Amino acid sequence: MNATYANAMLNASIAARDPRNGQVLERQALFQREAAQAEQAPVVAVIHDPALIGTWVHEKIVNSGGASFASFNSVMTLQLNPDGSVTQWSRSAAGGAEWTYDSPGEVQYSGHWRSQDGLLMVRLSGAPDYRPAAYYRFSDQYLVTESNSGQMIWQRRR
């Protein structure tokens, strides 16, 4: 287990090895300290990293091999607007030799966003507070996010 504490946030990761097959399972969690009710919370300016503003797409394509070929494609879209609003939705399509599937897509969440020191924070619609969503960085023209659900690579759409 490793953990670091900075800026009132605890970033913890734990790795465990399965004794039967030696496979390592790793999980990460990010905890943010909340001010006690009696304390007066400091006023924090909402910061929007201008490089994040826009439409970002993460695509996954899975193909099977062999005589009964099939393909599954999923597209996750993240819209970070200059006014601080955010929406993320997903859509998937699949097909094989004699079948197809195409989802209409669905909104996963919406609300407001801000960024702080490489951390994307999201306040879901109806929620009182911003919560850490993912650490982010840029690699060439790609946005790379890392959270407790893993690493994702996003491409900007115009």
Side-chain angles (χ1 to χ4, degrees), residues 68-84:
S68 57
F69 177 81
S71 179
F72 177 79
N73 303 326
S74 65
V75 177
M76 191 177 305
T77 305
L78 176 64
Q79 179 70 46
L80 297 165
N81 297 311
D83 68 357

Side-chain angles (χ1 to χ4, degrees), residues 24-46:
V24 175
L25 178 65
E26 214 172 307
R27 293 290 185 254
Q28 289 186 326
L30 184 65
F31 302 94
Q32 183 175 8
R33 183 180 180 133
E34 292 185 12
Q37 292 289 3
E39 295 178 20
Q40 181 69 12
V43 176
V44 177
V46 175

